[in-house]
Coordinates of all heavy atoms in Angstrom, one line a residue:
A13 N 8.3 -10.3 -21.0 CA 9.3 -9.6 -21.8 C 8.7 -8.3 -22.2 O 9.4 -7.3 -22.4 CB 9.8 -10.4 -22.9
A14 N 7.4 -8.3 -22.5 CA 6.7 -7.1 -23.0 C 6.3 -6.1 -21.8 O 5.7 -5.1 -22.0 CB 5.5 -7.4 -23.8
G15 N 6.6 -6.5 -20.6 CA 6.2 -5.7 -19.5 C 4.8 -6.0 -18.9 O 4.3 -5.3 -18.0
A16 N 4.2 -7.0 -19.4 CA 2.8 -7.3 -18.9 C 2.9 -8.0 -17.6 O 3.9 -8.7 -17.3 CB 2.1 -8.2 -20.0
A17 N 1.9 -7.9 -16.8 CA 1.8 -8.5 -15.5 C 1.7 -10.0 -15.7 O 0.9 -10.5 -16.6 CB 0.6 -8.0 -14.7
L18 N 2.3 -10.8 -14.8 CA 2.2 -12.2 -14.8 C 0.9 -12.7 -14.3 O 0.3 -13.6 -14.8 CB 3.4 -12.8 -14.0 CG 3.5 -14.4 -14.0 CD1 3.6 -14.9 -15.5 CD2 4.7 -14.8 -13.2
L19 N 0.4 -12.0 -13.2 CA -0.9 -12.4 -12.6 C -1.8 -11.2 -12.7 O -1.3 -10.0 -12.6 CB -0.7 -12.7 -11.1 CG 0.2 -14.0 -10.8 CD1 0.4 -14.1 -9.4 CD2 -0.5 -15.2 -11.4
A20 N -3.1 -11.4 -12.8 CA -4.0 -10.3 -12.8 C -4.0 -9.6 -11.4 O -3.7 -10.3 -10.4 CB -5.4 -10.9 -13.0
P21 N -4.2 -8.3 -11.4 CA -4.1 -7.6 -10.1 C -5.0 -8.2 -9.0 O -4.6 -8.3 -7.8 CB -4.6 -6.2 -10.4 CG -4.2 -6.1 -11.9 CD -4.4 -7.4 -12.5
E22 N -6.2 -8.7 -9.4 CA -7.1 -9.3 -8.4 C -6.5 -10.5 -7.8 O -6.6 -10.8 -6.6 CB -8.5 -9.6 -9.0 CG -9.4 -10.2 -8.1 CD -9.8 -9.4 -6.9 OE1 -9.8 -8.2 -6.9 OE2 -10.2 -10.0 -5.8
V23 N -5.9 -11.3 -8.6 CA -5.3 -12.6 -8.1 C -4.1 -12.2 -7.2 O -3.9 -12.8 -6.1 CB -4.8 -13.4 -9.3 CG1 -4.0 -14.6 -8.8 CG2 -6.0 -13.9 -10.1
T24 N -3.3 -11.3 -7.6 CA -2.2 -10.8 -6.8 C -2.6 -10.3 -5.4 O -2.1 -10.7 -4.4 CB -1.3 -9.8 -7.5 OG1 -0.9 -10.3 -8.8 CG2 -0.1 -9.4 -6.7
R25 N -3.7 -9.5 -5.4 CA -4.2 -9.0 -4.1 C -4.7 -10.1 -3.2 O -4.4 -10.1 -2.0 CB -5.3 -8.0 -4.4 CG -5.8 -7.3 -3.2 CD -6.6 -6.0 -3.5 NE -7.7 -6.2 -4.5 CZ -8.9 -6.6 -4.2 NH1 -9.2 -7.0 -3.0 NH2 -9.8 -6.7 -5.2
R26 N -5.4 -11.0 -3.8 CA -5.9 -12.2 -2.9 C -4.7 -13.0 -2.4 O -4.7 -13.4 -1.3 CB -6.9 -13.0 -3.7 CG -8.3 -12.4 -3.8 CD -9.2 -13.4 -4.4 NE -9.0 -13.4 -5.8 CZ -9.4 -14.4 -6.6 NH1 -9.9 -15.4 -6.1 NH2 -9.1 -14.3 -7.9
L27 N -3.8 -13.2 -3.2 CA -2.6 -14.0 -2.8 C -1.8 -13.4 -1.7 O -1.5 -14.0 -0.7 CB -1.7 -14.3 -4.0 CG -0.4 -15.1 -3.8 CD1 -0.7 -16.5 -3.4 CD2 0.5 -15.0 -5.0
V28 N -1.5 -12.1 -1.9 CA -0.8 -11.3 -0.8 C -1.7 -11.3 0.4 O -1.2 -11.4 1.5 CB -0.5 -9.9 -1.3 CG1 0.0 -9.1 -0.2 CG2 0.6 -10.0 -2.4
G29 N -3.0 -11.1 0.3 CA -3.9 -11.0 1.5 C -3.9 -12.3 2.3 O -3.8 -12.3 3.5
R30 N -3.9 -13.4 1.6 CA -3.9 -14.7 2.3 C -2.6 -15.0 3.0 O -2.5 -15.5 4.1 CB -4.2 -15.9 1.3 CG -5.7 -15.9 0.9 CD -6.0 -17.0 0.0 NE -7.4 -16.9 -0.4 CZ -7.9 -17.6 -1.4 NH1 -7.2 -18.4 -2.0 NH2 -9.2 -17.5 -1.7
Y31 N -1.5 -14.6 2.3 CA -0.2 -14.8 2.9 C 0.0 -13.9 4.1 O 0.5 -14.3 5.1 CB 0.9 -14.5 1.8 CG 2.3 -14.5 2.4 CD1 3.0 -15.7 2.8 CD2 3.0 -13.3 2.6 CE1 4.2 -15.6 3.3 CE2 4.2 -13.2 3.1 CZ 4.8 -14.4 3.5 OH 6.1 -14.4 4.1
A32 N -0.3 -12.6 3.9 CA -0.1 -11.7 5.0 C -1.0 -12.0 6.2 O -0.6 -11.7 7.3 CB -0.4 -10.3 4.5
A33 N -2.2 -12.6 6.0 CA -3.1 -12.9 7.1 C -2.4 -13.9 8.0 O -2.7 -13.9 9.2 CB -4.4 -13.4 6.6
R34 N -1.6 -14.7 7.5 CA -0.9 -15.7 8.4 C 0.3 -15.2 9.1 O 0.6 -15.7 10.2 CB -0.4 -16.9 7.5 CG -1.5 -17.6 6.8 CD -1.0 -18.8 6.1 NE 0.1 -18.4 5.2 CZ 0.8 -19.2 4.4 NH1 0.5 -20.5 4.4 NH2 1.7 -18.8 3.6
I35 N 0.8 -14.0 8.7 CA 2.0 -13.5 9.4 C 1.8 -12.2 10.0 O 2.7 -11.5 10.5 CB 3.2 -13.4 8.4 CG1 2.8 -12.5 7.2 CG2 3.6 -14.8 7.9 CD1 4.0 -12.2 6.3
R36 N 0.5 -11.7 10.1 CA 0.2 -10.4 10.7 C 0.6 -10.4 12.1 O 0.1 -11.2 12.9 CB -1.3 -10.1 10.5 CG -1.7 -8.7 10.9 CD -3.1 -8.4 10.6 NE -3.3 -8.4 9.2 CZ -4.2 -9.0 8.6 NH1 -5.1 -9.7 9.2 NH2 -4.3 -8.9 7.3
P37 N 1.3 -9.3 12.6 CA 1.6 -9.2 14.0 C 0.4 -8.7 14.8 O -0.6 -8.2 14.2 CB 2.7 -8.1 14.0 CG 2.5 -7.3 12.8 CD 1.9 -8.3 11.8
A38 N 0.4 -8.9 16.1 CA -0.7 -8.6 17.0 C -0.9 -7.0 17.1 O -2.0 -6.6 17.3 CB -0.5 -9.2 18.3
E39 N 0.2 -6.3 17.0 CA 0.2 -4.8 17.2 C 0.6 -4.1 16.0 O 1.5 -4.6 15.2 CB 1.1 -4.4 18.4 CG 0.7 -5.0 19.7 CD 1.7 -4.6 20.8 OE1 2.5 -3.6 20.6 OE2 1.7 -5.2 21.8
P40 N 0.1 -2.9 15.7 CA 0.6 -2.1 14.6 C 2.1 -1.8 14.8 O 2.5 -1.6 15.9 CB -0.3 -0.9 14.6 CG -1.4 -1.1 15.5 CD -1.0 -2.3 16.4
A41 N 2.8 -1.7 13.7 CA 4.2 -1.3 13.7 C 4.3 0.1 14.2 O 3.6 1.0 13.8 CB 4.8 -1.5 12.3
P42 N 5.4 0.4 15.0 CA 5.6 1.8 15.5 C 5.8 2.8 14.4 O 5.4 3.9 14.5 CB 6.8 1.7 16.4 CG 7.3 0.3 16.3 CD 6.3 -0.5 15.4
E43 N 6.4 2.4 13.3 CA 6.7 3.4 12.2 C 5.4 3.8 11.5 O 5.4 4.9 10.9 CB 7.7 2.9 11.2 CG 7.3 1.7 10.4 CD 7.6 0.3 11.1 OE1 8.1 0.3 12.2 OE2 7.4 -0.7 10.4
Q44 N 4.4 3.1 11.7 CA 3.1 3.4 11.1 C 2.6 4.8 11.6 O 1.9 5.5 10.9 CB 2.0 2.3 11.4 CG 0.7 2.5 10.8 CD -0.2 1.4 11.1 OE1 0.2 0.2 11.1 NE2 -1.5 1.6 11.2
T45 N 2.9 5.1 12.9 CA 2.5 6.3 13.4 C 3.2 7.5 12.8 O 2.7 8.7 13.0 CB 2.7 6.4 15.0 OG1 4.1 6.2 15.2 CG2 1.9 5.3 15.7
A46 N 4.2 7.3 12.0 CA 4.9 8.4 11.3 C 4.2 8.8 10.1 O 4.4 9.9 9.6 CB 6.3 7.9 10.9
L47 N 3.2 8.1 9.7 CA 2.4 8.4 8.5 C 1.3 9.3 8.9 O 0.6 9.1 9.9 CB 1.9 7.2 7.8 CG 2.9 6.2 7.2 CD1 2.1 5.0 6.6 CD2 3.8 6.9 6.2
T48 N 1.0 10.3 8.0 CA -0.2 11.2 8.3 C -1.4 10.4 7.9 O -1.4 9.4 7.2 CB -0.1 12.4 7.4 OG1 -0.2 12.0 6.0 CG2 1.2 13.2 7.6
P49 N -2.6 10.9 8.4 CA -3.8 10.3 8.0 C -4.0 10.1 6.5 O -4.5 9.1 6.0 CB -4.9 11.2 8.6 CG -4.2 11.8 9.8 CD -2.8 12.0 9.3
R50 N -3.6 11.1 5.7 CA -3.8 11.1 4.3 C -2.8 10.0 3.7 O -3.2 9.3 2.8 CB -3.5 12.4 3.6 CG -3.7 12.5 2.1 CD -5.1 12.1 1.8 NE -5.7 13.3 1.1 CZ -7.0 13.3 0.7 NH1 -7.7 12.3 0.8 NH2 -7.4 14.4 0.1
E51 N -1.6 9.9 4.2 CA -0.6 8.9 3.8 C -1.2 7.5 4.1 O -1.1 6.6 3.2 CB 0.7 9.1 4.4 CG 1.4 10.3 3.9 CD 2.6 10.8 4.7 OE1 2.8 10.3 5.9 OE2 3.4 11.6 4.2
L52 N -1.8 7.3 5.2 CA -2.4 6.0 5.6 C -3.5 5.7 4.6 O -3.7 4.6 4.1 CB -2.9 6.0 7.0 CG -1.9 6.0 8.1 CD1 -2.5 6.2 9.4 CD2 -1.2 4.6 8.1
E53 N -4.3 6.7 4.2 CA -5.4 6.5 3.3 C -4.8 6.1 1.9 O -5.3 5.2 1.3 CB -6.2 7.8 3.1 CG -7.5 7.7 2.3 CD -8.3 9.0 2.4 OE1 -7.7 10.1 2.8 OE2 -9.4 8.9 2.0
V54 N -3.8 6.8 1.4 CA -3.2 6.4 0.2 C -2.6 5.0 0.2 O -2.7 4.2 -0.7 CB -2.1 7.4 -0.2 CG1 -1.3 7.0 -1.4 CG2 -2.7 8.8 -0.5
L55 N -1.9 4.7 1.4 CA -1.4 3.3 1.5 C -2.5 2.3 1.4 O -2.3 1.2 0.8 CB -0.6 3.2 2.8 CG 0.0 1.9 3.2 CD1 1.0 1.4 2.0 CD2 0.8 1.9 4.5
R56 N -3.6 2.5 2.1 CA -4.7 1.5 2.0 C -5.2 1.4 0.5 O -5.5 0.3 0.1 CB -5.9 2.0 2.9 CG -5.7 1.8 4.3 CD -6.9 2.2 5.1 NE -6.6 2.1 6.6 CZ -6.3 3.1 7.3 NH1 -6.2 4.4 6.8 NH2 -6.0 3.0 8.6
L57 N -5.2 2.5 -0.2 CA -5.6 2.4 -1.6 C -4.6 1.7 -2.5 O -5.0 0.9 -3.4 CB -6.0 3.8 -2.1 CG -7.2 4.5 -1.5 CD1 -7.3 5.9 -2.0 CD2 -8.4 3.7 -1.8
I58 N -3.3 1.9 -2.2 CA -2.3 1.1 -2.9 C -2.5 -0.4 -2.6 O -2.4 -1.2 -3.5 CB -0.9 1.6 -2.4 CG1 -0.6 3.0 -2.9 CG2 0.2 0.6 -2.9 CD1 0.7 3.6 -2.2
A59 N -2.7 -0.7 -1.4 CA -2.8 -2.1 -1.0 C -4.1 -2.7 -1.6 O -4.2 -3.9 -1.8 CB -2.9 -2.2 0.5
S60 N -5.1 -1.9 -1.9 CA -6.3 -2.4 -2.6 C -6.1 -2.6 -4.1 O -7.0 -3.0 -4.7 CB -7.4 -1.4 -2.3 OG -7.7 -1.3 -1.0
G61 N -4.9 -2.3 -4.6 CA -4.6 -2.5 -5.9 C -4.8 -1.4 -6.9 O -4.8 -1.5 -8.1
L62 N -5.1 -0.2 -6.3 CA -5.4 1.0 -7.2 C -4.1 1.6 -7.8 O -3.1 1.6 -7.1 CB -6.1 2.1 -6.4 CG -7.7 2.0 -6.4 CD1 -8.1 0.7 -5.7 CD2 -8.3 3.2 -5.8
S63 N -4.2 2.0 -9.0 CA -3.0 2.7 -9.6 C -3.0 4.2 -9.1 O -3.9 4.6 -8.5 CB -3.2 2.7 -11.1 OG -4.3 3.5 -11.5
N64 N -1.9 4.9 -9.5 CA -1.8 6.3 -9.1 C -3.0 7.1 -9.6 O -3.6 7.9 -9.0 CB -0.5 6.9 -9.5 CG 0.6 6.5 -8.7 OD1 0.5 5.8 -7.7 ND2 1.8 6.8 -9.1
S65 N -3.4 6.9 -10.9 CA -4.5 7.6 -11.5 C -5.8 7.3 -10.8 O -6.6 8.2 -10.6 CB -4.5 7.4 -13.0 OG -4.7 6.0 -13.3
E66 N -6.0 6.0 -10.4 CA -7.2 5.6 -9.7 C -7.3 6.3 -8.3 O -8.3 6.7 -7.9 CB -7.3 4.1 -9.7 CG -7.6 3.5 -11.0 CD -7.4 2.0 -11.0 OE1 -6.6 1.4 -10.2 OE2 -8.1 1.3 -11.8
I67 N -6.1 6.3 -7.7 CA -6.1 6.9 -6.3 C -6.4 8.4 -6.5 O -7.1 9.0 -5.7 CB -4.7 6.7 -5.7 CG1 -4.5 5.2 -5.4 CG2 -4.6 7.5 -4.4 CD1 -3.1 4.8 -4.9
A68 N -5.8 9.0 -7.5 CA -6.0 10.5 -7.7 C -7.5 10.7 -8.0 O -8.1 11.7 -7.4 CB -5.2 10.9 -8.9
A69 N -8.2 9.9 -8.7 CA -9.6 10.1 -9.0 C -10.4 9.9 -7.7 O -11.4 10.6 -7.4 CB -10.1 9.2 -10.1
T70 N -10.1 8.9 -6.9 CA -10.8 8.5 -5.7 C -10.7 9.7 -4.7 O -11.7 10.0 -4.0 CB -10.3 7.2 -5.1 OG1 -10.4 6.2 -6.0 CG2 -11.0 6.9 -3.8
L71 N -9.5 10.2 -4.5 CA -9.2 11.2 -3.5 C -9.3 12.7 -4.0 O -9.1 13.6 -3.3 CB -7.9 11.0 -2.9 CG -7.6 9.7 -2.2 CD1 -6.2 9.6 -1.6 CD2 -8.7 9.5 -1.1
V72 N -9.7 12.8 -5.3 CA -9.8 14.1 -6.0 C -8.5 14.9 -5.8 O -8.4 16.0 -5.3 CB -11.0 14.9 -5.5 CG1 -11.2 16.1 -6.4 CG2 -12.2 14.1 -5.4
L73 N -7.4 14.2 -6.3 CA -6.0 14.8 -6.2 C -5.4 14.7 -7.6 O -5.9 13.9 -8.5 CB -5.1 14.0 -5.2 CG -5.6 14.0 -3.8 CD1 -4.7 13.0 -3.0 CD2 -5.5 15.4 -3.2
S74 N -4.4 15.5 -7.8 CA -3.6 15.3 -9.1 C -2.8 14.0 -9.0 O -2.4 13.6 -7.9 CB -2.8 16.5 -9.4 OG -1.6 16.5 -8.5
Q75 N -2.4 13.5 -10.1 CA -1.5 12.3 -10.2 C -0.1 12.7 -9.5 O 0.5 11.8 -8.9 CB -1.3 11.8 -11.6 CG -2.6 11.1 -12.1 CD -2.3 10.4 -13.4 OE1 -1.3 9.7 -13.5 NE2 -3.3 10.4 -14.3
E76 N 0.3 13.9 -9.8 CA 1.6 14.3 -9.2 C 1.6 14.3 -7.6 O 2.5 13.9 -7.0 CB 2.0 15.7 -9.7 CG 2.5 15.7 -11.1 CD 3.6 14.7 -11.4 OE1 4.6 14.7 -10.6 OE2 3.6 14.0 -12.4
T77 N 0.4 14.7 -7.1 CA 0.3 14.7 -5.6 C 0.3 13.3 -5.1 O 0.9 13.0 -4.1 CB -1.0 15.5 -5.2 OG1 -1.0 16.8 -5.7 CG2 -1.2 15.5 -3.7
V78 N -0.4 12.4 -5.8 CA -0.4 11.0 -5.4 C 1.0 10.4 -5.5 O 1.5 9.7 -4.5 CB -1.4 10.2 -6.3 CG1 -1.2 8.7 -6.0 CG2 -2.8 10.6 -6.1
K79 N 1.8 10.8 -6.5 CA 3.1 10.3 -6.6 C 4.0 10.8 -5.4 O 4.8 10.1 -4.9 CB 3.8 10.8 -7.9 CG 3.3 10.1 -9.1 CD 3.9 10.6 -10.4 CE 3.3 10.0 -11.7 NZ 3.9 10.5 -12.9
T80 N 3.7 12.0 -5.0 CA 4.4 12.6 -3.9 C 4.1 11.8 -2.6 O 5.0 11.5 -1.8 CB 4.1 14.1 -3.7 OG1 4.5 14.8 -4.9 CG2 4.8 14.7 -2.5
Y81 N 2.8 11.5 -2.4 CA 2.4 10.7 -1.2 C 3.0 9.3 -1.3 O 3.5 8.9 -0.2 CB 0.9 10.6 -1.2 CG 0.2 11.8 -0.6 CD1 -0.8 12.5 -1.3 CD2 0.4 12.2 0.7 CE1 -1.5 13.5 -0.7 CE2 -0.2 13.2 1.3 CZ -1.2 13.9 0.6 OH -1.8 15.0 1.1
V82 N 3.0 8.7 -2.4 CA 3.6 7.4 -2.5 C 5.1 7.4 -2.2 O 5.6 6.6 -1.4 CB 3.4 6.8 -3.9 CG1 4.2 5.5 -4.1 CG2 1.9 6.5 -4.2
S83 N 5.8 8.4 -2.7 CA 7.2 8.6 -2.4 C 7.5 8.8 -0.9 O 8.4 8.2 -0.3 CB 7.8 9.7 -3.2 OG 9.1 9.9 -2.9
R84 N 6.7 9.6 -0.3 CA 6.8 9.9 1.1 C 6.6 8.6 2.0 O 7.3 8.3 2.9 CB 5.9 11.0 1.6 CG 6.3 12.3 1.1 CD 5.3 13.4 1.6 NE 5.7 14.7 1.1 CZ 4.8 15.7 1.1 NH1 3.6 15.6 1.7 NH2 5.2 16.9 0.6
I85 N 5.5 7.8 1.6 CA 5.2 6.6 2.3 C 6.4 5.6 2.2 O 6.8 5.1 3.2 CB 3.9 6.0 1.7 CG1 2.7 6.8 2.0 CG2 3.8 4.5 2.2 CD1 1.5 6.5 1.2
L86 N 6.9 5.4 1.0 CA 8.0 4.5 0.8 C 9.3 5.0 1.6 O 9.9 4.1 2.2 CB 8.4 4.4 -0.7 CG 7.3 3.8 -1.6 CD1 7.8 3.8 -3.0 CD2 6.9 2.4 -1.1
T87 N 9.5 6.3 1.6 CA 10.7 6.8 2.4 C 10.5 6.6 3.9 O 11.4 6.1 4.6 CB 10.9 8.3 2.0 OG1 11.1 8.4 0.6 CG2 12.0 8.9 2.8
K88 N 9.3 7.0 4.4 CA 9.1 6.9 5.8 C 9.1 5.5 6.3 O 9.6 5.3 7.5 CB 7.7 7.6 6.2 CG 7.7 9.1 6.1 CD 6.4 9.6 6.6 CE 6.3 11.1 6.6 NZ 5.0 11.6 7.1
L89 N 8.6 4.6 5.5 CA 8.6 3.2 6.0 C 9.8 2.4 5.5 O 9.9 1.2 5.8 CB 7.3 2.5 5.5 CG 6.0 3.1 6.0 CD1 4.8 2.4 5.3 CD2 5.9 3.1 7.5
D90 N 10.7 3.1 4.8 CA 11.9 2.4 4.3 C 11.6 1.2 3.5 O 12.1 0.1 3.7 CB 12.9 2.0 5.5 CG 14.3 1.7 5.1 OD1 14.7 2.2 4.0 OD2 14.9 0.9 5.7
L91 N 10.8 1.4 2.5 CA 10.3 0.4 1.6 C 10.9 0.7 0.2 O 11.1 1.8 -0.2 CB 8.8 0.3 1.5 CG 8.1 0.1 2.8 CD1 6.6 0.2 2.7 CD2 8.5 -1.3 3.4
R92 N 11.1 -0.4 -0.6 CA 11.7 -0.2 -1.9 C 10.7 0.2 -3.0 O 11.0 0.9 -3.9 CB 12.3 -1.6 -2.4 CG 13.7 -1.7 -2.1 CD 14.3 -3.0 -2.9 NE 13.4 -4.1 -2.8 CZ 13.5 -5.1 -2.0 NH1 14.5 -5.2 -1.2 NH2 12.7 -6.1 -2.0
D93 N 9.5 -0.4 -2.9 CA 8.5 -0.3 -4.0 C 7.1 -0.5 -3.5 O 6.9 -0.8 -2.3 CB 8.8 -1.2 -5.1 CG 9.0 -2.6 -4.7 OD1 8.3 -3.1 -3.8 OD2 9.8 -3.3 -5.3
R94 N 6.1 -0.4 -4.4 CA 4.7 -0.6 -4.0 C 4.4 -2.0 -3.5 O 3.5 -2.1 -2.7 CB 3.8 -0.2 -5.2 CG 3.9 1.2 -5.6 CD 3.1 1.4 -7.0 NE 1.7 1.3 -6.8 CZ 0.9 2.3 -6.7 NH1 1.3 3.6 -6.8 NH2 -0.4 2.1 -6.6
V95 N 5.1 -3.0 -4.1 CA 4.9 -4.3 -3.6 C 5.2 -4.5 -2.1 O 4.4 -5.0 -1.4 CB 5.7 -5.3 -4.4 CG1 5.6 -6.7 -3.9 CG2 5.3 -5.3 -5.9
Q96 N 6.3 -3.9 -1.7 CA 6.6 -3.9 -0.3 C 5.6 -3.1 0.5 O 5.3 -3.5 1.7 CB 8.0 -3.4 0.0 CG 9.1 -4.3 -0.3 CD 10.5 -3.8 0.2 OE1 10.7 -2.7 0.3 NE2 11.3 -4.8 0.5
A97 N 5.1 -2.1 0.0 CA 4.0 -1.3 0.6 C 2.8 -2.1 0.8 O 2.1 -2.1 1.9 CB 3.7 0.0 -0.1
V98 N 2.4 -2.9 -0.1 CA 1.2 -3.8 0.0 C 1.4 -4.8 1.1 O 0.6 -5.0 1.9 CB 0.9 -4.4 -1.4 CG1 -0.2 -5.5 -1.2 CG2 0.5 -3.4 -2.4
V99 N 2.6 -5.4 1.1 CA 2.9 -6.4 2.1 C 2.9 -5.8 3.5 O 2.3 -6.3 4.4 CB 4.2 -7.1 1.8 CG1 4.6 -8.0 3.0 CG2 4.1 -8.0 0.5
Y100 N 3.5 -4.6 3.6 CA 3.5 -3.9 4.9 C 2.0 -3.6 5.3 O 1.7 -3.8 6.5 CB 4.2 -2.6 4.7 CG 4.2 -1.7 5.9 CD1 5.1 -1.9 7.0 CD2 3.2 -0.8 6.1 CE1 5.0 -1.1 8.1 CE2 3.1 0.0 7.2 CZ 3.9 -0.1 8.2 OH 3.8 0.6 9.3
A101 N 1.2 -3.1 4.4 CA -0.2 -2.8 4.8 C -0.9 -4.0 5.3 O -1.7 -3.9 6.3 CB -0.9 -2.2 3.6
Y102 N -0.7 -5.2 4.7 CA -1.4 -6.4 5.1 C -0.8 -6.9 6.5 O -1.5 -7.3 7.4 CB -1.3 -7.5 4.1 CG -2.4 -7.4 3.0 CD1 -2.2 -6.7 1.9 CD2 -3.6 -8.0 3.3 CE1 -3.2 -6.6 0.9 CE2 -4.6 -7.9 2.3 CZ -4.4 -7.2 1.1 OH -5.4 -7.1 0.2
R103 N 0.5 -6.8 6.6 CA 1.2 -7.3 7.8 C 0.8 -6.5 9.0 O 0.7 -7.0 10.1 CB 2.7 -7.2 7.7 CG 3.3 -8.4 6.9 CD 4.8 -8.3 7.0 NE 5.3 -9.5 6.4 CZ 6.6 -9.7 6.2 NH1 7.5 -8.7 6.5 NH2 7.0 -10.8 5.6
T104 N 0.5 -5.2 8.8 CA 0.2 -4.3 10.0 C -1.3 -4.2 10.2 O -1.7 -3.5 11.1 CB 0.8 -2.9 9.8 OG1 0.3 -2.4 8.6 CG2 2.3 -3.0 9.8
G105 N -2.1 -4.9 9.4 CA -3.5 -4.9 9.5 C -4.2 -3.6 9.0 O -5.4 -3.4 9.3
L106 N -3.5 -2.8 8.2 CA -4.2 -1.7 7.6 C -5.3 -2.1 6.6 O -6.3 -1.4 6.5 CB -3.2 -0.8 6.8 CG -2.3 0.0 7.7 CD1 -1.2 0.7 6.8 CD2 -3.0 1.1 8.5
V107 N -5.1 -3.2 6.0 CA -6.1 -3.8 5.1 C -6.3 -5.3 5.4 O -5.3 -5.9 6.0 CB -5.8 -3.6 3.6 CG1 -5.8 -2.2 3.2 CG2 -4.4 -4.2 3.3
T108 N -7.4 -5.8 5.1 CA -7.6 -7.2 5.4 C -8.2 -7.9 4.2 O -8.6 -7.3 3.2 CB -8.6 -7.4 6.5 OG1 -9.8 -6.8 6.2 CG2 -8.1 -6.9 7.8

């Protein structure tokens, strides 16, 4: 009710990773080629559980630039939110 996470981010990442490992397709999804190398890098960092501010610090970008990348990734892949982006990254083998 207070907006707190039900599971710790590390637990969530391991849970999604184990689930996605069982359903990962043999080939990368064709829409993945629509992402630029930087968008793929941001997607990998999202899937690793990093926040926008952590991604910004890692890639030496502003938080607004990271938000733009996240928005473009979600639009290009027709995803609703970061959770779907994480599942997509695991399913396509971008992260393991």
Side-chain angles (χ1 to χ4, degrees):
L18 182 59
L19 298 173
E22 177 63 27
V23 173
T24 303
R25 185 166 46 87
R26 281 189 283 156
L27 178 65
V28 170
R30 287 184 183 164
Y31 171 74
R34 296 186 308 181
I35 59 172
R36 183 175 297 130
E39 297 179 15
E43 63 271 7
Q44 183 177 326
T45 59
L47 298 179
T48 66
R50 184 60 117 181
E51 289 167 344
L52 287 170
E53 189 174 16
V54 171
L55 179 55
R56 284 185 186 98
L57 294 173
I58 291 169
S60 296
L62 273 63
S63 68
N64 285 353
S65 60
E66 292 168 328
I67 294 170
T70 300
L71 300 179
V72 191
L73 300 170
S74 73
Q75 287 190 41
E76 288 302 315
T77 301
V78 172
K79 288 179 186 179
T80 299
Y81 278 121
V82 172
S83 177
R84 287 181 185 165
I85 290 165
L86 296 178
T87 299
K88 285 183 177 182
L89 299 178
D90 194 29
L91 303 172
R92 265 191 321 258
D93 52 32
R94 291 172 73 101
V95 173
Q96 282 192 329
V98 171
V99 172
Y100 173 88
Y102 277 93
R103 280 187 174 173
T104 58
L106 287 174
V107 291
T108 56

